[in-house]
Amino acid sequence: MTYIHKLVDVPVLGNLPVQYIISEGKKDVEPVPKHWHAALEVNCVLRGQASVYMAGQTYLMRAGDALAINSFAVHAGQILCHAEADYRIITFLYPIERLYALIPNYNALVVSLAPSDERTPAQQSAYHQLYQAFDLFYQLEQGEPPFFRIDQQALCYQILYLLFKNFSARRAPDTQYIPNRCSHPQLYEVVDYILKHYMEPLHRDQIAKACGYSTRHLANRFKATYQLSLMQYVTRIRALKAMQLLQTTEQPLSWIAAKVGFSYPYALTKAFKHAFGLTPTEYRRLKLRRN
């Protein structure tokens, strides 16, 4: 099975509150390049090993290990294959919209699965329950017993509960870069405006006026919240939308650049390379090799 990683937009399948990916086999697979998305990602290794880059560090995951990747965190991954040894890894992606519906102050929280020697007894028990929940989810997927989707739905929420009850903490104020309808209603409106108009020519004055801000006040508040300037955020969104089109269409870069709001292909290539560490052409070639 080829390892496929969903990026950026995370649709909910059926009645499950997550998009899930089961990666298993013995064949070598291409690494997942650096990227980020709004979803909360949780990975659990049931067999084999994986290497995950996140926040400037590389983590080696073995069977029984789990790792949470918070919304908008830049990360990359590689399944480590060995001769005659198979791997089995489950990835859950919880859409940010679902998280806000369940946890209104989600933007103020960060999930971190502490190393085994730093866990409290309660955390150690919860960590073991996480692994059991992922393993049971896999077993249900393979056997499809009666009402298995109901059981899987319960497991999805159990995993989320275990994470936030036992492994969440408050973010530092300067890292709460996810606008929240409650704590930053106008800033959420700004992000919503950008997401609706990123494909059009945008500038700071236009965005500020449309959302009822002075340009200077919006620029300062947005940078303090997102750790990105307003136009850096616009560029990042355009690069992410371009990645989606590279996954789903065979259109030339000039068409994709125009479709997502870049004035010329070079601007797309520069932004894409800065965000993900490779050019759109290199990413497209990588995608073709996976397929």
Side-chain angles (χ1 to χ4, degrees), residues 214-228:
S214 72
T215 301
R216 183 176 180 180
H217 179 64
L218 174 59
N220 291 339
R221 188 172 182 183
F222 197 93
K223 182 65 178 288
T225 303
Y226 256 74
Q227 305 302 295
L228 291 170

Side-chain angles (χ1 to χ4, degrees), residues 187-204:
L187 201 53
Y188 188 94
E189 182 182 354
V190 172
V191 173
D192 188 57
Y193 182 86
I194 292 172
L195 291 175
K196 289 179 179 177
H197 298 277
Y198 68 88
M199 70 294 294
E200 305 168 8
L202 287 178
H203 53 81
R204 294 194 315 169

Side-chain angles (χ1 to χ4, degrees), residues 159-232:
I159 289 169
L160 198 62
Y161 173 78
L162 290 169
L163 285 173
F164 281 92
K165 177 176 172 56
N166 298 280
F167 300 102
S168 67
R170 294 195 65 83
R171 289 182 182 271
D174 61 350
T175 64
Q176 293 181 21
Y177 48 80
I178 310 170
N180 184 303
R181 292 178 188 270
C182 301
S183 58
H184 299 290
Q186 287 182 293
L187 201 53
Y188 188 94
E189 182 182 354
V190 172
V191 173
D192 188 57
Y193 182 86
I194 292 172
L195 291 175
K196 289 179 179 177
H197 298 277
Y198 68 88
M199 70 294 294
E200 305 168 8
L202 287 178
H203 53 81
R204 294 194 315 169
D205 293 344
Q206 170 193 349
I207 298 171
K209 182 177 180 181
C211 299
Y213 274 97
S214 72
T215 301
R216 183 176 180 180
H217 179 64
L218 174 59
N220 291 339
R221 188 172 182 183
F222 197 93
K223 182 65 178 288
T225 303
Y226 256 74
Q227 305 302 295
L228 291 170
S229 73
L230 195 59
M231 297 315 297
Q232 283 175 330

Side-chain angles (χ1 to χ4, degrees), residues 3-291:
Y3 184 65
I4 302 172
H5 196 99
K6 297 292 182 181
L7 299 166
V8 191
D9 286 337
V10 182
V12 176
L13 298 180
N15 294 321
L16 294 180
V18 299
Q19 170 80 347
Y20 66 93
I21 305 159
I22 297 176
S23 309
E24 59 182 341
K26 294 182 179 180
K27 297 181 179 179
D28 290 337
V29 290
E30 294 286 347
V32 179
K34 290 181 181 178
H35 65 284
W36 59 266
H37 41 66
L40 169 67
E41 178 174 330
V42 189
N43 297 287
C44 184
V45 179
L46 301 181
R47 289 184 184 175
Q49 295 182 348
S51 175
V52 178
Y53 166 88
M54 180 179 65
Q57 297 186 42
T58 299
Y59 299 87
L60 176 61
M61 298 179 64
R62 298 182 173 87
D65 288 344
L67 181 69
I69 300 172
N70 290 280
S71 297
F72 301 106
V74 175
H75 58 288
Q78 171 69 69
I79 296 174
L80 304 178
C81 297
H82 302 283
E84 303 305 321
D86 60 349
Y87 58 84
R88 181 178 300 157
I89 300 170
I90 299 184
T91 299
F92 276 12
L93 295 115
Y94 290 90
I96 196 168
E97 297 84 358
R98 182 66 58 88
L99 293 170
Y100 273 132
L102 296 170
I103 310 166
N105 66 330
Y106 173 67
N107 71 300
L109 300 174
V110 60
V111 176
S112 178
L113 295 173
S116 58
D117 58 347
E118 298 179 14
R119 294 178 205 141
T120 65
Q123 287 179 325
Q124 191 63 42
S125 175
Y127 195 92
H128 182 61
Q129 291 177 63
L130 280 174
Y131 175 81
Q132 290 180 316
F134 275 107
D135 186 53
L136 180 54
F137 185 95
Y138 174 82
Q139 299 301 329
L140 290 168
E141 185 71 16
Q142 302 309 302
E144 297 189 2
F147 314 116
F148 79 103
R149 284 299 185 201
I150 298 176
D151 287 334
Q152 285 185 320
Q153 185 177 56
L155 289 169
C156 292
Y157 285 113
Q158 179 188 357
I159 289 169
L160 198 62
Y161 173 78
L162 290 169
L163 285 173
F164 281 92
K165 177 176 172 56
N166 298 280
F167 300 102
S168 67
R170 294 195 65 83
R171 289 182 182 271
D174 61 350
T175 64
Q176 293 181 21
Y177 48 80
I178 310 170
N180 184 303
R181 292 178 188 270
C182 301
S183 58
H184 299 290
Q186 287 182 293
L187 201 53
Y188 188 94
E189 182 182 354
V190 172
V191 173
D192 188 57
Y193 182 86
I194 292 172
L195 291 175
K196 289 179 179 177
H197 298 277
Y198 68 88
M199 70 294 294
E200 305 168 8
L202 287 178
H203 53 81
R204 294 194 315 169
D205 293 344
Q206 170 193 349
I207 298 171
K209 182 177 180 181
C211 299
Y213 274 97
S214 72
T215 301
R216 183 176 180 180
H217 179 64
L218 174 59
N220 291 339
R221 188 172 182 183
F222 197 93
K223 182 65 178 288
T225 303
Y226 256 74
Q227 305 302 295
L228 291 170
S229 73
L230 195 59
M231 297 315 297
Q232 283 175 330
Y233 182 82
V234 172
T235 300
R236 187 74 62 89
I237 292 298
R238 287 170 173 166
L240 287 164
K241 296 298 182 180
M243 178 177 277
Q244 285 183 288
L245 292 176
L246 287 167
Q247 293 175 358
T248 58
T249 75
E250 300 299 327
Q251 295 289 347
L253 293 186
S254 57
W255 182 91
I256 292 176
K259 195 74 172 177
V260 300
F262 289 107
S263 54
Y264 45 91
Y266 174 74
L268 165 59
T269 298
K270 183 178 179 181
F272 200 94
K273 176 77 172 181
H274 179 74
F276 306 114
L278 70 169
T279 67
T281 300
E282 291 169 339
Y283 179 79
R284 177 167 270 173
R285 287 173 184 162
L286 180 63
K287 173 180 174 291
L288 289 173
R289 286 203 300 271
R290 289 180 191 169
N291 294 337

